[in-house]
Amino acid sequence: MPMNEKLELKQHGTCYRILNRLLKNPYFLMAPAIICCLVLTVYPVCFAIYLSFHKWDPITSRKKFVGLENFKYLLASEDFHKVLLNTVIYMLVILFVGLLIKVVLGVFLNKRTFAHNMVQTIVFTPHIIASVAVAAIFMWLMDPTNGIFNVALRALHLPASQWYYGSGTALLSVLIVAIWSSTGYGVLRVIAGLRSIPEYLYEAAKLDKAGAFTTFTKITIPMLSPTLLYLIVTTSASAFTSFDIVKMMTEGGPDNATNLIAYYVYQQGMGFNQYGRAMAAAVVLLIFNSSLSALNFFVLGRRTHYQ
């Protein structure tokens, strides 16, 4: 029997028909992603909610049902109130100040020249650097004794700062690092959104003799709204779950000045072995994050213009 006939027989065999039928089934193609989502997302969330109503000893694997005791502890804890306040302040500053910087830089760098492309590359560089490395660099820059920042302040005859060592400036220091490291990615997203705006809209604005401010508020911002919505949702979500910079620079201190809710979950679980309280805090984080994302889509989604 010729080789091509053997291949043809195998091709039309039972295994081939079954495999071909499966590959045409959309549910079969979606199954790996659904399984990964269930195992890596849905199950951990359900397990965290389950543990939030228990006191769990991971050494003996004993779980004691305590009802709402973990949540009552959080509501009565002044430390947790401080953590929530820090997280809200952190999220608002990252969201509004960071978004303003991204839009301004994006508009300024939205030119197809070699110099602007070079600056775009430089601005994007912090995004590809590991956050631990970024935190280590800024810890050196912000060193109260020999840091470059304080050297520059003294050269300008200004008082030096304690930066991340001081309770009044620690959160500001963490915010500077977080905004600096996330700016590059947001700027490129803004530039991509600006370049997707049709040129005829700006040409029509010129014919109508619209000014730069009117063009920016009536054309650029509305047409950039899908990108802004994406940045608002992702930035607020990442701000609520920020952990690595706090862990590297301050570990929540001094005096809980930089303790955010994601680090508080880690602190209660891995530091104090209070996994029930840690999961209760994680559930609070889930509720805040989900509610904020839903609110963003509900309020801003109606004002988003898609081409």
Side-chain angles (χ1 to χ4, degrees), residues 110 112 190-199 223-224 227 307:
N110 185 30
R112 302 178 186 271
V190 171
I191 292 174
L194 290 172
R195 291 182 178 178
S196 66
I197 300 175
E199 287 295 331
M223 298 305 295
L224 194 62
T227 301
Q307 296 183 27

Side-chain angles (χ1 to χ4, degrees), residues 90 125-141 164 174 177-178 180-182 242-251 263 266:
Y90 181 88
T125 301
H127 180 69
I128 62 177
I129 301 176
S131 56
V132 174
V134 171
I137 293 171
F138 272 89
M139 288 173 69
W140 173 66
L141 294 174
Y164 61 93
V174 174
V177 179
W180 184 84
S181 61
S182 64
S242 182
F243 170 83
D244 42 8
I245 295 176
V246 173
K247 171 62 178 175
M248 184 67 184
M249 292 185 66
T250 64
E251 294 189 349
Y263 186 78
Y266 165 82

Side-chain angles (χ1 to χ4, degrees), residues 139-266:
M139 288 173 69
W140 173 66
L141 294 174
M142 294 177 176
D143 184 81
T145 305
N146 299 314
I148 292 179
F149 287 177
N150 276 350
V151 171
L153 289 175
R154 294 189 187 101
L156 296 173
H157 303 286
L158 296 174
S161 174
Q162 289 296 312
W163 296 109
Y164 61 93
Y165 280 97
S167 58
T169 56
L171 186 59
L172 175 63
S173 303
V174 174
L175 283 167
I176 291 173
V177 179
I179 292 175
W180 184 84
S181 61
S182 64
T183 295
Y185 174 77
V187 168
L188 287 191
R189 295 290 305 189
V190 171
I191 292 174
L194 290 172
R195 291 182 178 178
S196 66
I197 300 175
E199 287 295 331
Y200 65 82
L201 294 177
Y202 293 107
E203 294 174 0
K206 289 181 180 179
L207 293 176
D208 291 338
K209 298 182 180 180
F213 180 77
T214 302
T215 302
F216 182 75
T217 56
K218 300 297 183 181
I219 295 178
T220 303
I221 293 299
M223 298 305 295
L224 194 62
S225 56
T227 301
L228 296 179
L229 175 62
Y230 171 81
L231 289 176
I232 289 172
V233 172
T234 55
T235 301
S236 58
S238 62
F240 267 111
T241 57
S242 182
F243 170 83
D244 42 8
I245 295 176
V246 173
K247 171 62 178 175
M248 184 67 184
M249 292 185 66
T250 64
E251 294 189 349
D255 194 25
N256 275 336
T258 60
N259 200 354
L260 305 180
I261 189 168
Y263 186 78
Y264 182 85
V265 172
Y266 165 82

Side-chain angles (χ1 to χ4, degrees), residues 102-111 116 119 191 194:
K102 293 168 187 175
V103 173
V104 171
L105 288 178
V107 172
F108 176 73
L109 295 175
N110 185 30
K111 296 180 181 179
H116 283 81
V119 175
I191 292 174
L194 290 172

Side-chain angles (χ1 to χ4, degrees), residues 51-55 64-70:
L51 281 183
S52 66
F53 297 102
H54 293 75
K55 184 177 182 180
K64 179 182 178 182
F65 181 77
V66 294
L68 298 175
E69 288 299 320
N70 292 322

Side-chain angles (χ1 to χ4, degrees), residues 44 72 81 232 282:
K72 291 180 181 178
H81 297 166
I232 289 172

Side-chain angles (χ1 to χ4, degrees), residues 22-42:
L22 288 175
L23 292 177
K24 292 180 180 179
N25 190 325
Y27 298 104
F28 176 78
L29 299 176
M30 294 166 56
I34 294 175
I35 292 172
C36 288
C37 181
L38 291 174
V39 174
L40 301 177
T41 303
V42 177

